[in-house]
Amino acid sequence: MSKVAFITGATSGFGRAAARKFASQGWSVVITGRREERLQALSDELAERSPVHYQVLDVRNNEEVVQMVQSLPETFKNITCLVNNAGLALAPQPSQTVDINDWHTMIDTNITGLVNVTHALLPTLIETGSGASIINVGSIAGQWPYPGSHVYGASKAFVKQFSYNLRCDLQGTGVRVTDLAPGIAETEFTLVRTKGDQAASDALYEGTRALAAEDIAETMFYLATLPPHINVNRMEVMPTDQAWSPFAIHREN
């Protein structure tokens, strides 16, 4: 029986690339997301290589999450790796100008959704035991603040600390937990954040080489296939072209 990866947010970006990577290596994959047409297309693509099960899922809805996990087909029940990828950034404007609904959406997706899926799958992962992995997709924003990051960065700081605390609780079960924190990556991330502003997205990546979704998928697979006695607590991955800036200092004219 092949290993099974459960991947949230599989309709684009890191999640879709992860599904392709795990399937290409013979893993069975469970893919979820909110856009059914994309899930169907990805499922059709992956089915040529490996067993795949897809289901439309809003991770913010705990009842929906629990029902899906409980109703997984028998051949997909034994989860070896959970990739908690569903998440988003909104409102890159200063906090004082942001619509509160955008803050709530980020909290509900990046925090509530992540804990819903994790809680529902913990019994399965513990039963799998040695070699099982939880890969939580965080961000460098969870460690390094910048203007306009406000609730997004705070939500990713939650991902980091939640991952560390899970490690403490899961000690002795064989289940590994990693906070995978990417830097700038050329996906639909900025389009979503700017609500479809293609020019803003193009400007962000112009003249530099950002990470690709496939780079992060390769990293996920590496983490999931390390020898069972190795746990990477946190992995921060930036493109070579990205580094830190000096502190900002306000000066009176």
Side-chain angles (χ1 to χ4, degrees):
M1 184 178 295
S2 65
K3 295 181 178 180
V4 182
F6 188 109
I7 302 168
T8 66
T11 55
S12 66
F14 300 154
R16 182 167 59 191
R20 287 170 172 160
K21 177 61 182 180
F22 280 84
S24 73
Q25 300 301 307
W27 284 52
S28 299
V29 292
V30 177
I31 54 175
T32 73
R34 290 192 292 166
R35 291 174 283 190
E36 184 168 13
E37 70 285 351
R38 289 196 178 192
L39 283 176
Q40 177 69 68
L42 183 59
S43 176
D44 292 344
E45 173 193 331
L46 300 181
E48 299 177 2
R49 312 178 218 171
S50 187
V52 55
H53 173 74
Y54 84 88
Q55 186 166 326
V56 175
L57 179 68
D58 185 348
V59 296
R60 300 173 296 182
N61 186 323
N62 188 55
E63 289 184 8
E64 201 174 306
V65 171
V66 170
Q67 184 178 27
M68 179 189 174
V69 170
Q70 291 177 346
S71 63
L72 282 172
E74 283 299 321
T75 54
F76 293 93
K77 281 185 179 293
N78 298 319
I79 308 298
T80 310
C81 178
L82 165 60
V83 177
N84 268 320
N85 169 71
L88 79 168
L90 296 171
Q93 301 84 13
S95 298
Q96 58 270 32
T97 66
V98 169
D99 183 338
I100 188 65
N101 292 313
D102 287 337
W103 278 6
H104 288 165
T105 298
M106 286 187 281
I107 292 167
D108 291 345
T109 307
N110 300 354
I111 298 177
T112 304
L114 181 140
V115 301
N116 285 345
V117 176
T118 302
H119 189 267
L121 283 174
L122 276 176
T124 300
L125 290 160
I126 291 171
E127 185 176 348
T128 299
S130 179
S133 302
I134 299 172
I135 300 172
N136 293 327
V137 178
S139 170
I140 60 169
Q143 178 77 13
W144 309 106
Y146 61 86
S149 183
H150 39 75
V151 165
Y152 174 69
S155 72
K156 293 304 183 179
F158 173 89
V159 173
K160 177 179 69 172
Q161 193 63 33
F162 181 60
S163 300
Y164 289 171
N165 292 341
L166 273 178
R167 281 274 289 122
C168 295
D169 291 342
L170 292 173
Q171 186 177 22
T173 67
V175 181
R176 306 177 287 191
V177 187
T178 299
D179 170 32
L180 175 58
I184 185 173
E186 191 164 1
T187 64
E188 294 179 10
F189 177 88
T190 303
L191 276 178
V192 172
R193 190 172 205 180
T194 59
K195 299 185 177 178
D197 189 339
Q198 186 65 56
S201 180
D202 293 343
L204 179 64
Y205 305 118
E206 183 179 4
T208 191
R209 182 173 182 181
L211 297 171
E214 291 73 19
D215 299 326
I216 299 304
E218 290 284 347
T219 307
M220 291 174 180
F221 189 75
Y222 165 77
L223 293 168
T225 55
L226 284 168
H229 69 287
I230 299 175
N231 189 105
V232 177
N233 297 327
R234 184 171 188 271
M235 180 178 284
E236 188 173 285
V237 184
M238 291 185 187
T240 306
D241 286 351
Q242 184 179 27
W244 304 274
S245 294
F247 284 110
I249 300 173
H250 173 72
R251 304 181 190 280
E252 297 289 346
N253 293 330

